[in-house]
Amino acid sequence: MLRGLYSAASGLTSQQRRHDTITNNIANIETAGYKQTTTPLRSFNDMLLSLTGVDSNQPKTIGTWTGNVFAEESLTYHLQGDVTQTNNRNDFAIISNIAVDGLAFDQSGKAVGANGEVVFQPQAYFTVQNAQGELRYTRGGQFSVNSEGYLTTSTGDYVLGTNNEPIILPAGVSIDELILTSDRRLVTSAGNDTGLQLLISRIDNPYLLVREGDGKFRLAEGTAAAIDDADAVEVRQGYIEHSNVDITQASVDLMAALRAYEANQKVVQFYDTTLQKTANEIGRIG
């Protein structure tokens, strides 16, 4: 009996986390460059089928069985969001559609190679540096210039150039005078080259990125490479990339999580009533 109670309780916890994830996505629907997250639900954590040892005649220990539901991780969808023109020279948006030879990516940015290996579509990110000098990656391109002339993000991180140094504007030049060229160089409206070029990093497996908040990610493993001319990446000045949250689907998922939570709640109430009768009525008869 208690096994069912524990299963329902794990369902409550999992649906609560799923609900929190969806509401966070909805709250950030107007955040430039925001990438939505999802909370996958998993069961049979002992991986019963994979441990049955079908290629062996020897018995294999499977371990304890559980019917609980787990929501132990959050996955981020790194797909392209809609791009809107703002006519603000401080705004920059990345449009990325990097191809990989021999692979056709689906709408989720995933493809399966010839050997059955799952491959994710590479993505492009602005490269920034935080106050501790650590590299971070973001698609939030709403930049500004601080009092020292450095190009910074909305949270104060330094935007890096192709020399891996923070971009600092030439004396007497404002960002309103700068024009971004097709090869991501910053030139003045008079056509003078400032020697500045935005560093756009290619992340071959975006699922190695770890979310840190404020639209920033850090790379958990390996290093990022600078975008080259062969990559299908464009940076537009005077545009912003909206979040890639689908408000219609998010609303449906939110309602589904609520209904699943209520169903598990009723199961817990049922077991509570049953245990109460067991303790108070059956025990008294004995």
Side-chain angles (χ1 to χ4, degrees):
M1 180 182 294
L2 292 180
R3 183 185 295 277
L5 180 62
Y6 294 147
S7 296
S10 70
L12 287 173
T13 304
S14 299
Q15 294 301 331
Q16 177 64 54
R17 180 166 182 177
R18 182 185 175 200
H19 183 277
D20 292 343
T21 300
I22 298 169
T23 52
N24 183 64
N25 288 334
I26 295 175
N28 284 280
I29 197 168
E30 296 296 333
T31 303
Y34 177 81
K35 301 302 178 185
Q36 74 165 337
T37 58
T38 184
T39 301
L41 304 180
R42 304 183 186 279
S43 61
F44 293 99
N45 64 317
D46 292 288
M47 301 181 69
L48 177 63
L49 295 178
S50 65
L51 293 179
T52 53
V54 294
D55 58 344
S56 173
N57 294 324
Q58 298 298 322
K60 184 174 284 188
T61 301
I62 295 175
T64 58
W65 179 86
T66 176
N68 294 352
V69 178
F70 295 88
E72 299 180 334
E73 59 182 340
S74 294
L75 300 179
T76 302
Y77 290 142
H78 294 271
L79 301 182
Q80 178 76 46
D82 294 333
V83 174
T84 300
Q85 187 173 11
T86 65
N87 294 318
N88 186 343
R89 291 187 181 273
N90 292 26
D91 293 337
F92 297 85
I94 294 176
I95 301 176
S96 172
N97 187 22
I98 301 175
V100 177
D101 292 341
L103 294 177
F105 296 102
D106 59 21
Q107 292 184 344
S108 67
K110 182 177 68 175
V112 179
N115 59 355
E117 179 186 6
V118 176
V119 180
F120 300 101
Q121 185 174 23
Q123 298 293 332
Y125 280 82
F126 295 109
T127 311
V128 300
Q129 185 182 83
N130 62 18
Q132 291 72 40
E134 300 167 327
L135 292 181
R136 296 295 182 262
Y137 306 94
T138 182
R139 289 291 284 257
Q142 293 179 309
F143 300 150
S144 60
V145 179
N146 65 13
S147 58
E148 298 176 333
Y150 286 99
L151 189 64
T152 63
T153 66
S154 58
T155 57
D157 296 317
Y158 296 110
V159 181
L160 297 187
T162 51
N163 59 355
N164 292 309
E165 295 292 334
I167 291 178
I168 183 170
L169 273 60
V173 177
S174 70
I175 194 170
D176 291 331
E177 301 175 55
L178 296 179
I179 298 175
L180 186 71
T181 64
S182 59
D183 57 355
R184 300 176 293 281
R185 291 182 299 109
L186 293 170
V187 301
T188 65
S189 54
N192 298 322
D193 193 347
T194 63
L196 304 174
Q197 187 177 16
L198 288 175
L199 174 59
I200 308 298
S201 294
R202 167 178 168 150
I203 310 295
D204 285 328
N205 184 357
Y207 287 93
L208 293 178
L209 290 172
V210 179
R211 184 186 296 270
E212 287 197 342
D214 296 324
K216 294 183 297 184
F217 299 88
R218 61 179 174 84
L219 192 56
E221 300 177 16
T223 57
I227 289 293
D228 58 37
D229 295 336
D231 292 323
V233 175
E234 178 187 359
V235 182
R236 293 183 183 178
Q237 186 179 21
Y239 290 78
I240 61 169
E241 178 188 0
H242 293 288
S243 71
N244 61 358
V245 177
D246 185 336
I247 184 61
T248 302
Q249 186 61 50
S251 300
V252 172
D253 292 342
L254 188 66
M255 186 60 65
L258 177 61
R259 292 289 181 260
Y261 185 91
E262 291 174 345
N264 282 284
Q265 187 179 42
K266 289 184 181 298
V267 172
V268 171
Q269 292 172 346
F270 168 78
Y271 275 107
D272 179 62
T273 302
T274 303
L275 289 172
Q276 184 179 17
K277 288 182 176 295
T278 302
N280 295 337
E281 297 181 13
I282 299 178
R284 185 172 56 192
I285 293 174

